[in-house]
Structure formats: structure tokens, C-alpha cells
Amino acid sequence: MIMELLRYCFLQIFLALAISFLVNAQDQSGFVSIDCGNSKDSSYTDSVTGIKYISDANFTETGVSKSISSDFNTTTLPQQFWYVRSFPEGERNCYTIKLAQGKGFKYLIRASFMYGNYDGEGKPPVFDLYMGINKWDSVVLSNESSIITKEVIHALPTSSVCVCLVTTGFGSPFISALEFRLLKNASYVTDSKLLALHRRLDVGSITNETVRYRDDFCDRIWLPFNFLNYKIISTSSTVDSGISNSYNLPRIVMSTAITTDNASAPLEFHWVPEDPSAKYHIFLHFADLQKLQMNQSREFNIYQNEEYFNGPFSPDYLQSTTLFSTKPMSGETIAFKFVKTNTSNLPPILNALEVYRVLETSESRTDEQDVKAMTNVKSFYGMRKNWQGDPCLPESFVWHGLSCSYDETPNRITSLNLSSSGLVGEIATSISELTSLQYLDLSNNNLSGPVPSLLSELHSLKVLDLRNNPHLGSIPSELMEKSKNGSLTIRVGGNADLCASSSCQKKKKSYVIPIVASVSSLLVLVAAIAVGIIIWRKRARKQPDVRITSLEPKKHQLSYSQIQHMTNNFETKIGEGGFAKVFLGYLDNTQVAVKVLKASVQGYKEFEAEVKLLLRIHHTNLTSLVGFCCENTNLVLIYEYINNGNLKEHLSGGNVRVLSWEERMQIAVDAAQGLEYLHHGCKPPIVHRDVKSANILLNENFEAKIADFGLSKSFPTESRSHLTTVVAGTEGYLDPEYYATGWLTEKSDVYSFGVLILEIITSLPVLQIDRASSERHHISQWVRDLMNTGDIESIVDQRLRGNFDLSSAWKAVEIAMTCLSMDSTERPDMKEVVRELSECLGLERARKRRNVDFDIGKSNTITRDFRESEVTPRSR
Ligand SMILES: *[C@@H]1O[C@H](CO)[C@@H](O)[C@H](O)[C@H]1NC(C)=O
Ligand SMILES: *[C@@H]1O[C@H](CO)[C@@H](O)[C@H](O)[C@H]1NC(C)=O
Ligand SMILES: *[C@@H]1O[C@H](CO)[C@@H](O)[C@H](O)[C@H]1NC(C)=O
Ligand SMILES: *[C@@H]1O[C@H](CO)[C@@H](O)[C@H](O)[C@H]1NC(C)=O
Ligand SMILES: *[C@@H]1O[C@H](CO)[C@@H](O)[C@H](O)[C@H]1NC(C)=O
Ligand SMILES: *[C@@H]1O[C@H](CO)[C@@H](O)[C@H](O)[C@H]1NC(C)=O
Ligand SMILES: *[C@@H]1O[C@H](CO)[C@@H](O)[C@H](O)[C@H]1NC(C)=O
Ligand SMILES: *[C@@H]1O[C@H](CO)[C@@H](O)[C@H](O)[C@H]1NC(C)=O
Ligand SMILES: *[C@@H]1O[C@H](CO)[C@@H](O)[C@H](O)[C@H]1NC(C)=O
Ligand SMILES: *[C@@H]1O[C@H](CO)[C@@H](O)[C@H](O)[C@H]1NC(C)=O
């Protein structure tokens, strides 16, 4: 979802990418170089390597961007290490990268880490790195400035790669960079699917410098290495990596070698594996650097732990050859010995050397269609949860709400529980592609529309739980058949609209029996009806007469003398705007807000038309119009009275009670829903035209209701845009496109809503005036600047003291920024905004739930922390 929202930013990346590819298409076409944590619209070329890096925003959905402490930002530190992406939430977080050359292609994949005290804790975390479902390595950094790189060579089994970071209980995982380098298919061919780099050495280096891209077209990193006691030989001639050699070895690495002084002495080296059972593959690279005379010969045999490995072998002059074994080796010590043959009069040589460790790969895999279907469901609902990587594997990280069957290969998804997941919109049809599904729980959401008949294609489905989705439409006959013949249990209850559709009503009677409403759901239903009746009764007593008899429009219309009476002759003024004064009034003992318009604002006809429209609009997040008066030049609107002030007052510094992050997100969701209703629930759609914090009213439960439809203009649906003569709205909230063109669409409200979200996040005024230059700065500029530094905590209202979910905050900022896209077509519609903001709310609630456990743990450890008493001396 967020991907869609961020289209605009990505467009910029792609433009940058497109340009960079033009410049150097040949060299980096097989590269994907990701600078993790870098802001999403910046890409750059590394000044030393010339490699183009892009941001990671497109490849991961979670985590927060952080910059390292300036203490560790040395002049020689590559730019990739300036920022990291940190994952404070969730046990497993993944990057998913779809590569242009995917399935079956071989890649070198490199992850780099430098802690740089980015979190101010002064202690590098310890965590695990996974390649898809297989453990790759543990990341253990010795100090703040140490840099670790982990590399694998991997022939991709699927078109996309998943790299995951997994917590081990020692701090939040993070990552600095992630790089992909396409290798030739014929290089590094072994029996093992996943090879982790152990050593890659440029032996006999005379420069003592690390070699990588541009010297190495595949951007392998070669470390200089010199054995004591061996002689270095080198050439200034060019070493050809050879047509038959697919390794594309860098010339500078191959143009130096080691050899023995004494031709009869063997050339030897060895290493001691940490784990004697670890399996290794070795790749030995040779090229002779000496032009041999007729009477000279260089020929040697290679032994591994005294056993024959390869030979007799004579390296070609200035041509690279690679020797390796396809079978892995292991042992307490792994020793290599090159011994010249009796007929040879020159000593053995070695130019370069690579050692890889075999990573165990799990044979189990999940059905590709199931994976695809779940990925679609995930993006359809914009689900976060822990839904990352493979849905069923590893078994310890199965996606929440899923059950899988591991009896068959590939694994299948057998149960999907999306109960209470805050789902809105229709039922995702992709669910019908989970063909082994037996149990499907969609209860306690806000799903709407008909139940897709495709679900009847799930032949194993035994239980379908649809309870408590008040707006769900009809159940298709195919499913009803299954329910009737007993092969499927459909649970319903709390589905007010379920039988509202015509097809449903026609056959209503035959449906009553087969739908199995469990006893508990029936009870819930009965209880709900009872509560409903009680509430309805209460309301009926409390509410003013006009609302109940809403079928008779005349009753809404009051005379001016009635208005005078109900306001006690305009005794209590509760507000005043450019167009109207607002007074407190009483209608049948209920408080109402009486808005007296300054007469010249609208023509009488227009006024009446608009009022009729407004009287039809009822939504919990909109202030209801309950009546009006239209006598001579007196134009009066009567609204329900919302008693807890407006959002602007609650956000402003003067208010003692600081709104919590959860409250803010709830208010944002409420307001978004109100606006969504105006845009998508009303026919014709209504553009508010003056969305701002002062127009968001709060009731005693801090539920938000949008007010002031005074500027609303209904406009025809056939032409989505409408040219208005006067551009109206409030400065700072005004859509610049609307301002420039005069064309008004719903997207103008979306822009204003973006500004509103920023207000909610920051509690700052929309326009700030620089005292020195008296220039005015818009809140969005300020936020954008801070976003680039990755510092979310200084964006959010400081009074919250960091007490909020970071990803929730990031997401909220991102939503706001997409709403603020200059081009209105880039802005999301309010449906999307509602969905995204609901996720922000969900993330914050999830954090709060977690924190309950966390706080308990924390209080237990406080007694062991003696420092506290040292720093707080008691006053006597
Ligand atoms: C980035 O995301 C967009 C969709 O939002 C996708 O089309 C594009 O392929 C992605 N870019 C890369 C490099 O994966
Ligand atoms: C690191 O230093 C460079 C200048 O040498 C500066 O441009 C960059 O912003 C610094 N990065 C961080 C994260 O502090
Ligand atoms: C790479 O080689 C393997 C066999 O070694 C083959 O199965 C695979 O299809 C090849 N991939 C490509 C992209 O050529
Ligand atoms: C950090 O650790 C590395 C080894 O990983 C070491 O070479 C380096 O000197 C250490 N730096 C500091 C500042 O301790
Ligand atoms: C490289 O290191 C070797 C010893 O390891 C040293 O003898 C040689 O001078 C160094 N070369 C350069 C160019 O620094
Ligand atoms: C050369 O090496 C062989 C075998 O290790 C040894 O027997 C011989 O003494 C060595 N010669 C010299 C001059 O060191
Ligand atoms: C090889 O032949 C050259 C002359 O072409 C001679 O100088 C050299 O000693 C010979 N080397 C050996 C090992 O016989
Ligand atoms: C090479 O010489 C060694 C002794 O120096 C001998 O044991 C071996 O059999 C010889 N090999 C060949 C192939 O002549
Ligand atoms: C489905 O999820 C809901 C909410 O997470 C939970 O209450 C319910 O027990 C789950 N159902 C099953 C069968 O696990
Ligand atoms: C549920 O969905 C309906 C329409 O699909 C919408 O009118 C209503 O506001 C939604 N309610 C919540 C709580 O999301």
C-alpha cells in the first residue's frame, strides 16, 4: 500500500536510475546497490567506487532510518555507512528484492554493517542474518566503528530474493547496505546452493590495497594478503581472464602471485575452521607471469590434507585458470600443498584464492501459488503484522494467522485467520487461490460487498467465519449449496447487511436453515440487538424532534423567532468566522450550535439547495445539520453541538492535556472517515474546501467530527472537476494546484488533509514566520527537511517524549507527504488515506500492548541498577 502511496518519490528514483544507467549501462547492469536507511528519494554515485546507490525504501516495509553518530563519520568512511535502517519492531524483518535477471541466475549478495552508535546506546547489537528461509550468519560487531560484510553466492531459486534480519535478544537489528552482483552462470559451480564467503585473497599484492569494482567487474572485494617466506612475482603485462574462464578475474589481482624461493620446496597454506564439521569449497586462481624458456617448465600437483586434489597442472602464461572441487571439504585443519613434479624446474605459484563455507539449505519450500496468493492478500489489505518473507518457513516465523501443512512438499497453507485485523473493503479474491485452505476466519472486521463466489472453488474449505462484518453483502448460491449439503460451515451473526442484496432477499427463506450460526454468535447477535434497542430508545428521548421526523423536511425549517427564542436572543456566542457567528442554543433541551450566516454570502436558492443536501448527510464523523432558518435575509444553520472544542485548540501548546499518539491517530482516522464519506459516500460527491484543524470538532470522548460545510459545494459526478469562480479556503491548507488553476476536485481536500495530518503529528502551526527574515515557512517544508535526516523523533510533537510507535509515526508522515504531492493525481484518495491511517493506529495499539509486558520486565531490573542512587543525591 505504502508503495502505491509513494509512487511520486519512486518516480524520482527511477529518473535518477534511468539517467545513471545511460551513463554506465555496460558496467553496472547486473548490479543492485542499496544504501539502507538513506532517504527514499536520494540516490548517488559513490565517489570512490563509482557505484550508484539507491535507497532501500522500495524494498522493505518496516524499520526506521537512522544516521550514525558524527563521531564515527570519518573522511574515508564510504557514504553507504552514513545511514542505517534499524528494526526495533518485530522479531524478523525482511528486504524483498526482485531482480531483473531472477530465477536461475547466480548472484553475489553482500550485506554490510557498521553500527556507528546510531542509537546512542554505545553498544552494537547482536543479531542473525537470513537468506530467505536459511540462516546465513550471525552479525557480531566488536565495536562502534568496525565494519562487517557478509557475502553469499546464490543461484536464485525464485525471481525475488528475501534477506531477513532476526533478533536474538541483544538489541535491534540494523543494516547499512545491501548489494547484488550478477555472476556468470558457469562460475562457482558446486553441489551447494548457498556459499558464504570465508576468505577472498589477492595473494602477492604489491600495492597492499583492497581491490573491488571497477578493477573487478563483478565487484568482489579482494583483500591483499602476503604469506611470510614466499616470494612475490608480478608482471606489468596484462593478464587476460581468458575466454574459457567465466570468473572475470580482475587483472590487478592476477598480475601478482606468490612462489617459493627453492623450487623443490612445496607451497603450503592452511586454515583452522571454527567448526570442524563446517564444509568448504576452495577456488584457486592461477596465471603464469613468467614467459618460460624452452628448457623451463612449471608443473605441480595439488594436495589437500595429503590427499591428491588436482594436477599435474601448468598455469598458462598471462591466462587465468581456476581450479576447484565440486565436492565440499571439512576437517580440524584444512591444508593445501602445491608440489612441483619431478620434470618441472620452476616452483609452483598462486595468484589468488577464494574460500567459501557451505550454508545448509532447507529442502522444504512453500507452494508458489500459495505464496503468491498470500502476497496479494497482504498488499490488498496493506497488512503489516509479521507478514514478511516466506509465509510458512522457517516454522518459527510462520505469518501470524496462518497455519501450514508440512506433510506434503511443497508446504501448503491450510488455515487463514484474519479475525479482528481491521480489514476494510471487499473480501480479497486472491484468497480463492489458496486451494488447500480448510479454515477461513474473516470475523470482526469491516468487510463490505458481496462474498466472492470464487471462494466456492476452495474444495477443502470446511469453515468460513464471516461474523461481525456489519456491511457484508450477499453470500453466493455456490457457497450456500455447500453449506446446505454440509460440506461447509458458514458462521454468520452481526452481519446487518448480509441479506440486504436482492439475490439474497429473493431466496431468504431457504437460507435461514443452512446458515449455521453458532450458539455463541446467536447470543452476541441477540445481545447486540438488545443493546441497539436500548441505545436507540435513549437517543430517541434525547434527540431533538427534528431528527426523528427527518422524513418531513418542513420540520427542519424554523422561523427566525424560534431561532431567537432557542438562543435566548443570541445570548451566548461560541464562535465567529469570516462568514458566520455561532451561538449556543437549545432545541428540546438539547444543546445545539446555531450558526448565523452573514447574509450576502450565498444566494437564497443556492442556500436552500445546499441545506437540503446537508440534511441528508449523516455520519458519526460529520457534525449533523439538524435544522435551518431562511427568512428574508436571515440565513441560519443549526448543528448538533459538539462540546469539547476543536482540534486546533487541543493541539496548541496552551492546552494542558497533551493528546497521546493513539488519540491523535484515532482523531486522524475519524476525520479521514468523515471526509471519505463526503467524497465517496455522497452522491454527488461533496468537496469540503476548508479542511483544517479548527474545523475538526471533538466530543467528550475525543471522537472527531468534521464541521463547517458552509463552503461545501456539490458538483456533478459526470465531470469530476468543476471550475469555480472564487478560490476559497484557508491559507496554508490551500491546494496549490487548485489555487493555480481554479479547478476543484476531491484531491484538493486530500491536500488540506495532508496538512492536517502534519499538524496532528507535530502540533505546530501550519505557517511559521521566521522572525529574522519575516519569511513564511510551510510546515511541510520543515517536515521534509527533517525527514531527510531520518530523524522522526524531532518531527513528532516533543511533548510526547518519544512515547509513540516509530513505524506508526513514519507511516503517518509518509501518508501526509503523499497527500501533499504537488500533482493532484499523485495524491491518494480518502479511502486509501483511511486505510493507511488505520494501520498507523494499529501499529501504535500493538506497541502499547507490547509495552505492558515490557514495563513489568523493566521494573524488575531497576533494583539491580545501583547507579541511580549515585546520581540523585538526597536533599537534607
Ligand atoms: C519499486 O516499486 C515500484 C512499485 O511501487 C515497482 O514498480 C518497482 O519495480 C520497484 N523498483 C525496484 C527496483 O524493485
Ligand atoms: C559525514 O560527513 C560528510 C562530510 O565529510 C557529511 O557530508 C555527511 O553528511 C556526514 N554524514 C553523517 C551521517 O553525519
Ligand atoms: C545456469 O546453469 C544451470 C546449470 O548449471 C542451469 O540449470 C540454469 O538454467 C542456468 N541458468 C541460466 C540463467 O542460464
Ligand atoms: C574496533 O574493532 C576492530 C576489530 O574488529 C579493531 O581493528 C579496531 O581497532 C577497533 N576500534 C576501536 C576504536 O576499538
Ligand atoms: C606491502 O606490504 C609489504 C609487507 O607486508 C611491504 O613489504 C611492502 O612494502 C608494502 N607495499 C606497499 C606499496 O605499501
Ligand atoms: C629446497 O627444498 C628441499 C625440500 O624442502 C630441501 O630438501 C632443500 O634442502 C632445499 N634447498 C635449499 C637450498 O634450501
Ligand atoms: C636454460 O637455457 C638457458 C639458455 O637459453 C640457460 O642460460 C639456463 O641455464 C638454462 N636453464 C636450465 C635450468 O637448464
Ligand atoms: C619423483 O621423484 C621422487 C623422489 O624424488 C620419486 O619418489 C617419485 O617416484 C618420482 N616420480 C616420478 C613420476 O618420477
Ligand atoms: C483467530 O484470531 C483471533 C484473533 O486474533 C483469535 O481470537 C481466534 O482464537 C483465532 N482463531 C483460531 C481458530 O485460532
Ligand atoms: C465500515 O465500512 C463502511 C462502508 O464500507 C463505512 O461506511 C464505515 O465507516 C466503516 N466503519 C469503520 C469503523 O471503519
Side-chain angles (χ1 to χ4, degrees):
M1 268 321 101
I2 198 76
M3 298 249 175
E4 268 176 53
L5 275 171
L6 296 172
R7 270 195 317 258
Y8 174 67
C9 307
F10 293 145
L11 191 69
Q12 291 186 338
I13 293 184
F14 288 130
L15 287 177
L17 270 180
I19 292 162
S20 63
F21 281 152
L22 282 178
V23 175
N24 217 338
Q26 278 287 310
D27 291 0
Q28 292 182 32
S29 56
F31 287 18
V32 176
S33 313
I34 302 169
D35 181 354
C36 305
N38 199 4
S39 65
K40 61 182 163 300
D41 43 18
S42 69
S43 59
Y44 62 89
T45 299
D46 186 280
S47 55
V48 175
T49 61
I51 296 171
K52 283 109 198 162
Y53 286 87
I54 56 173
S55 141
D56 60 348
N58 219 8
F59 309 103
T60 183
E61 296 164 348
T62 48
V64 288
S65 163
K66 294 277 182 181
S67 64
I68 62 160
S69 155
S70 53
D71 302 349
F72 301 99
N73 183 8
T74 57
T75 48
T76 54
L77 185 70
Q79 190 172 344
Q80 299 88 270
F81 296 103
W82 290 359
Y83 297 97
V84 301
R85 180 170 293 271
S86 157
F87 297 94
E89 309 254 331
E91 277 183 76
R92 178 174 70 152
N93 286 279
C94 299
Y95 278 85
T96 305
I97 297 97
K98 206 168 159 58
L99 294 153
Q101 288 101 342
K103 195 169 177 172
F105 285 86
K106 190 170 282 173
Y107 277 87
L108 181 154
I109 303 168
R110 180 164 50 223
S112 310
F113 308 87
M114 181 180 134
Y115 169 61
N117 199 18
Y118 75 83
D119 55 2
E121 299 278 330
K123 199 163 135 253
V126 177
F127 53 93
D128 285 344
L129 188 60
Y130 275 71
M131 183 74 228
I133 62 170
N134 300 300
K135 169 127 185 235
W136 173 352
D137 213 339
S138 293
V139 179
V140 184
L141 295 139
S142 47
N143 57 45
E144 285 100 323
S145 56
S146 52
I147 291 178
I148 284 189
T149 63
K150 302 284 180 189
E151 267 186 33
V152 282
I153 289 179
H154 190 28
L156 304 189
T158 50
S159 56
S160 58
V161 185
C162 210
V163 175
C164 303
L165 305 172
V166 173
T167 55
T168 55
F170 300 96
S172 305
F174 73 93
I175 184 165
S176 306
L178 196 52
E179 299 167 307
F180 297 82
R181 308 289 180 244
L182 183 63
L183 298 174
K184 286 204 177 139
N185 200 20
S187 63
Y188 304 100
V189 177
T190 66
D191 293 344
S192 314
K193 297 203 173 66
L194 204 51
L195 296 176
L197 181 67
H198 180 64
R199 293 280 184 277
R200 183 183 294 123
L201 305 176
D202 171 12
V203 293
S205 167
I206 50 173
T207 58
N208 298 348
E209 273 172 14
T210 302
V211 174
R212 66 179 292 185
Y213 183 78
R214 292 165 189 259
D215 290 315
D216 189 328
F217 298 141
C218 303
D219 191 29
R220 283 160 294 203
I221 298 176
W222 301 85
L223 299 178
F225 192 82
N226 282 305
F227 294 90
L228 292 171
N229 310 326
Y230 292 132
K231 196 171 82 180
I232 295 173
I233 56 169
S234 66
T235 182
S236 53
S237 309
T238 301
V239 180
D240 191 349
S241 46
I243 300 155
S244 58
N245 189 316
S246 45
Y247 290 82
N248 242 324
L249 297 161
R251 286 171 179 168
I252 184 160
V253 167
M254 294 308 287
S255 67
T256 61
I258 51 163
T259 185
T260 54
D261 258 335
N262 172 353
S264 321
L267 195 160
E268 290 178 284
F269 62 89
H270 72 272
W271 71 93
V272 182
E274 268 177 40
D275 171 9
S277 66
K279 295 177 188 160
Y280 294 88
H281 284 283
I282 193 165
F283 296 85
L284 301 162
H285 306 293
F286 300 96
D288 207 331
L289 308 177
Q290 244 174 293
K291 180 116 185 94
L292 303 191
Q293 305 299 316
M294 288 300 284
N295 60 358
Q296 287 179 313
S297 127
R298 189 191 309 276
E299 188 182 65
F300 50 93
N301 285 308
I302 300 173
Y303 300 89
Q304 182 233 318
N305 292 20
E306 305 301 331
E307 282 183 28
Y308 172 81
F309 179 82
N310 209 320
F313 170 68
S314 290
D316 294 330
Y317 178 57
L318 300 182
Q319 292 271 323
S320 299
T321 308
T322 298
L323 299 182
F324 63 99
S325 73
T326 52
K327 296 265 172 289
M329 59 193 80
S330 56
E332 300 272 343
T333 302
I334 297 176
F336 274 83
K337 191 165 168 182
F338 301 0
V339 185
K340 88 171 182 63
T341 60
N342 292 358
T343 54
S344 169
N345 52 16
L346 290 176
I349 61 164
L350 175 64
N351 305 58
L353 153 74
E354 288 175 89
V355 179
Y356 290 87
R357 186 165 50 86
V358 174
L359 293 182
E360 294 307 326
T361 52
S362 161
E363 284 307 309
S364 58
R365 62 200 168 85
T366 305
D367 183 74
E368 273 193 49
Q369 188 187 312
D370 280 2
V371 175
K372 206 172 142 210
M374 280 314 299
T375 311
N376 289 342
V377 171
K378 177 186 167 188
S379 63
F380 187 83
Y381 292 120
M383 300 283 276
R384 286 297 143 79
K385 299 194 167 189
N386 73 332
W387 286 19
Q388 300 195 27
D390 189 288
C392 298
L393 294 166
E395 284 188 51
S396 47
F397 289 108
V398 175
W399 288 8
H400 289 159
L402 285 192
S403 307
C404 304
S405 144
Y406 301 96
D407 301 339
E408 42 192 333
T409 310
N411 310 318
R412 299 303 305 266
I413 295 169
T414 53
S415 141
L416 173 57
N417 182 358
L418 290 172
S419 176
S420 310
S421 300
L423 306 185
V424 290
E426 303 195 334
I427 295 178
T429 49
S430 317
I431 292 176
S432 66
E433 284 151 29
L434 299 166
T435 51
S436 286
L437 206 61
Q438 296 170 12
Y439 174 93
L440 175 58
D441 189 344
L442 299 171
S443 63
N444 299 306
N445 288 300
N446 189 15
L447 292 166
S448 53
V451 178
S453 58
L454 278 173
L455 289 186
S456 63
E457 285 170 20
L458 298 173
H459 296 297
S460 308
L461 192 64
K462 295 193 179 70
V463 177
L464 173 58
D465 198 332
L466 302 171
R467 285 174 295 175
N468 300 318
N469 283 288
H471 304 289
L472 210 50
S474 59
I475 296 177
S477 53
E478 295 92 329
L479 282 175
M480 293 314 306
E481 281 304 315
K482 290 193 164 195
S483 167
K484 239 187 282 179
N485 70 25
S487 64
L488 174 64
T489 305
I490 303 177
R491 296 194 181 128
V492 293
N495 309 86
D497 291 350
L498 197 60
C499 273
S501 90
S502 56
S503 69
C504 197
Q505 268 168 356
K506 261 184 266 158
K507 302 183 192 163
K508 203 169 189 171
K509 276 187 186 130
S510 63
Y511 286 171
V512 175
I513 303 153
I515 296 177
V516 183
S518 68
V519 175
S520 64
S521 74
L522 262 179
L523 284 178
V524 169
L525 196 67
V526 169
I529 291 170
V531 169
I533 290 171
I534 291 164
I535 288 173
W536 180 77
R537 284 211 169 149
K538 263 190 167 170
R539 281 203 173 172
R541 246 181 277 128
K542 242 177 82 180
Q543 279 170 350
D545 192 39
V546 282
R547 289 194 66 175
I548 303 160
T549 54
S550 61
L551 288 175
E552 294 166 70
K554 274 284 165 201
K555 286 261 169 99
H556 293 297
Q557 195 161 358
L558 292 103
S559 68
Y560 193 69
S561 58
Q562 278 175 303
I563 300 289
Q564 281 173 314
H565 180 69
M566 69 194 281
T567 57
N568 201 9
N569 213 8
F570 308 105
E571 186 186 45
T572 318
K573 189 162 86 179
I574 53 176
E576 177 159 13
F579 300 95
K581 287 180 184 166
V582 187
F583 299 90
L584 186 63
Y586 288 87
L587 191 62
D588 300 338
N589 295 327
T590 306
Q591 287 184 323
V592 287
V594 178
K595 187 167 175 178
V596 181
L597 300 181
K598 294 174 183 170
S600 62
V601 173
Q602 284 161 312
Y604 172 80
K605 276 251 151 61
E606 213 178 325
F607 178 76
E608 198 180 58
E610 187 141 330
V611 163
K612 293 222 167 109
L613 180 81
L614 294 183
L615 283 166
R616 291 209 317 264
I617 297 171
H618 292 287
H619 187 276
T620 44
N621 301 120
L622 297 172
T623 49
S624 294
L625 182 69
V626 294
F628 72 101
C629 160
C630 190
E631 233 177 66
N632 305 325
T633 56
N634 297 316
L635 307 179
V636 181
L637 294 169
I638 303 156
Y639 288 98
E640 65 175 315
Y641 178 63
I642 315 291
N643 58 4
N644 200 8
N646 69 42
L647 179 59
K648 190 172 183 168
E649 294 160 7
H650 282 277
L651 289 174
S652 73
N655 215 300
V656 187
R657 187 182 177 291
V658 179
L659 291 173
S660 71
W661 184 256
E662 187 181 352
E663 283 169 330
R664 284 170 203 239
M665 288 302 104
Q666 182 66 63
I667 289 167
V669 169
D670 285 350
Q673 280 174 348
L675 204 52
E676 185 209 350
Y677 185 77
L678 289 178
H679 290 181
H680 303 288
C682 295
K683 283 199 178 94
I686 291 173
V687 180
H688 187 291
R689 297 212 286 177
D690 200 13
V691 174
K692 57 181 177 183
S693 54
N695 273 341
I696 310 293
L697 304 182
L698 301 178
N699 70 10
E700 65 278 7
N701 300 321
F702 287 90
E703 288 161 351
K705 289 169 191 280
I706 299 184
D708 205 348
F709 295 74
L711 286 169
S712 291
K713 271 259 189 294
S714 60
F715 57 99
T717 32
E718 303 88 64
S719 68
R720 304 293 289 169
S721 307
H722 178 73
L723 190 60
T724 57
T725 45
V726 191
V727 173
T730 303
E731 213 181 352
Y733 295 89
L734 194 57
D735 170 15
E737 196 182 82
Y738 166 50
Y739 184 75
T741 63
W743 287 90
L744 181 67
T745 70
E746 295 101 316
K747 291 291 178 75
S748 300
D749 279 352
V750 174
Y751 181 91
S752 311
F753 197 82
V755 180
L756 176 73
I757 301 176
L758 290 186
E759 257 188 297
I760 292 177
I761 294 169
T762 62
S763 297
L764 292 178
V766 168
L767 289 171
Q768 283 142 342
I769 294 155
D770 186 343
R771 289 223 181 92
S773 62
S774 70
E775 268 177 50
R776 293 193 305 172
H777 298 286
H778 194 254
I779 190 168
S780 62
Q781 189 51 50
W782 181 79
V783 170
R784 194 169 282 126
D785 291 347
L786 280 174
M787 263 177 103
N788 291 339
T789 69
D791 188 1
I792 188 76
E793 282 167 61
S794 43
I795 296 177
V796 177
D797 188 348
Q798 295 301 302
R799 293 174 299 165
L800 288 179
R801 297 164 191 276
N803 194 3
F804 57 87
D805 180 85
L806 287 172
S807 3
S808 174
W810 265 120
K811 199 170 161 62
V813 172
E814 282 164 354
I815 297 161
M817 293 322 254
T818 37
C819 290
L820 292 170
S821 300
M822 282 299 144
D823 180 351
S824 64
T825 58
E826 303 285 349
R827 297 176 201 150
D829 63 23
M830 285 311 295
K831 280 189 176 154
E832 259 178 283
V833 174
V834 169
R835 204 158 49 224
E836 298 286 331
L837 284 173
S838 303
E839 272 181 43
C840 292
L841 181 59
L843 285 168
E844 171 65 4
R845 288 192 172 149
R847 180 192 71 103
K848 284 202 160 171
R849 280 197 297 275
R850 277 195 309 277
N851 274 8
V852 173
D853 305 337
F854 180 71
D855 286 345
I856 293 165
K858 214 166 145 191
S859 64
N860 285 343
T861 59
I862 278 171
T863 48
R864 278 187 252 136
D865 189 7
F866 300 109
R867 279 167 305 170
E868 198 157 273
S869 56
E870 286 168 24
V871 292
T872 47
R874 288 180 181 280
S875 56
R876 285 163 201 266

